[in-house]
Amino acid sequence: ADSINKSYYLRVNNISKSSNNLLNNNLQSNNYSNSLKSMKMTIPSLIYGTAWKKDKTKDLVELAIKSGFRGIDTACQPKHYNEPAIGLALQQLYQDNIITRSNIFLQTKFTPIRGQDPNNIPYDTTLSLDKQVAMSFEVSLKNLKTDYIDSILLHSPLSTLSDTMIAWRVFEQLVDNKKVNHIGISNTYDLTLLQQIYNDARIKP
């Protein structure tokens, strides 16, 4: 696996110069507000996934950014993601003037209880569902050392449409409060369910 990773990143490094030029041109073509919270960065064509990187997360995120990636996907799910290590990587990259917060697209996810390690859940499971979602989001902000998130997803639909919409309403409030720019849902394989969510949502996925 290590040799595959090294080979892959060597190939990425070979295209990093042209990738950076393209990314920089795209960034310069957008008008950004001076307020971080009001920035709406274009969703990158490629987003670097950080699942299962474990203790290599920090080094691999730094390498990905230096190789041209400007999108990072994570989740508030310690079972599969090391979100705090991503925050440390970003902090180092900011300090080294490799990137600024305004030109990195951060995407995280709310993971329901059933997708968490029962011994390491990052929010209080005794709280109501809406408060669990809100707490998970605050944990992600702290982990990623930021005061806003470009995109947050439901890691999957919850057990019922009603619960899914409770979580979605919290996402909508985050958009209203300018804490999040994009909201969505992943791992949805039931088209009827997706249509129901879309129909019931005020801010569409």
Side-chain angles (χ1 to χ4, degrees):
D2 285 344
S3 61
I4 291 172
N5 277 338
K6 289 177 182 176
S7 174
Y8 171 75
Y9 282 112
L10 284 172
R11 293 197 301 274
V12 170
N13 278 326
N14 288 334
I15 65 168
S16 64
K17 185 174 180 180
S18 59
S19 297
N20 273 321
N21 288 338
L22 177 61
L23 288 162
N24 288 334
N25 288 338
N26 287 338
L27 289 170
Q28 290 169 5
S29 69
N30 288 287
N31 291 322
Y32 290 111
S33 163
N34 289 328
S35 169
L36 287 178
K37 293 180 183 178
S38 65
M39 286 183 178
K40 288 191 177 181
M41 182 179 176
T42 302
I43 300 175
S45 299
L46 292 174
I47 297 179
Y48 183 72
T50 60
W52 311 303
K53 305 295 190 291
K54 299 184 178 180
D55 59 353
K56 295 182 180 179
T57 298
K58 181 178 182 293
D59 290 342
L60 289 174
V61 168
E62 289 184 23
L63 180 57
I65 295 300
K66 290 175 181 177
S67 299
F69 283 93
R70 289 299 179 267
I72 298 293
D73 172 80
T74 183
C76 194
Q77 184 196 29
K79 181 179 180 179
H80 296 308
Y81 295 82
N82 188 344
E83 219 175 38
I86 297 169
L88 292 174
L90 293 171
Q91 185 177 53
Q92 187 65 55
L93 291 162
Y94 301 152
Q95 290 174 354
D96 293 343
N97 296 315
I98 304 297
I99 54 167
T100 63
R101 175 64 185 91
S102 62
N103 60 27
I104 186 74
F105 186 93
L106 293 181
Q107 176 170 278
T108 190
K109 308 179 196 73
F110 168 73
T111 305
I113 292 172
R114 69 173 183 270
Q116 301 281 2
D117 176 351
N119 297 313
N120 192 12
I121 299 177
Y123 49 83
D124 186 347
T125 60
T126 67
L127 297 174
S128 59
L129 176 58
D130 58 335
K131 290 183 170 59
Q132 291 176 22
V133 178
M135 184 175 177
S136 176
F137 177 75
E138 291 298 325
V139 171
S140 286
L141 290 180
K142 180 179 178 181
N143 287 342
L144 297 171
K145 302 183 185 302
T146 185
D147 60 358
Y148 74 103
I149 296 291
D150 296 281
S151 172
I152 188 168
L153 309 179
L154 291 178
H155 213 153
S156 66
L158 281 78
S159 55
T160 66
L161 176 62
S162 175
D163 281 351
T164 300
M165 294 313 301
I166 287 172
W168 192 262
R169 298 302 180 214
V170 178
F171 281 12
E172 291 175 329
Q173 290 172 5
L174 292 172
V175 175
D176 292 342
N177 293 334
K178 302 188 186 303
K179 303 292 286 186
V180 171
N181 290 325
H182 303 277
I183 57 178
I185 185 168
S186 62
N187 298 306
T188 308
Y189 309 109
D190 183 337
L191 179 58
T192 299
L193 175 60
L194 183 59
Q195 289 171 329
Q196 289 176 314
I197 296 168
Y198 183 88
N199 291 335
D200 289 352
R202 175 170 58 86
I203 300 176
K204 305 301 183 184

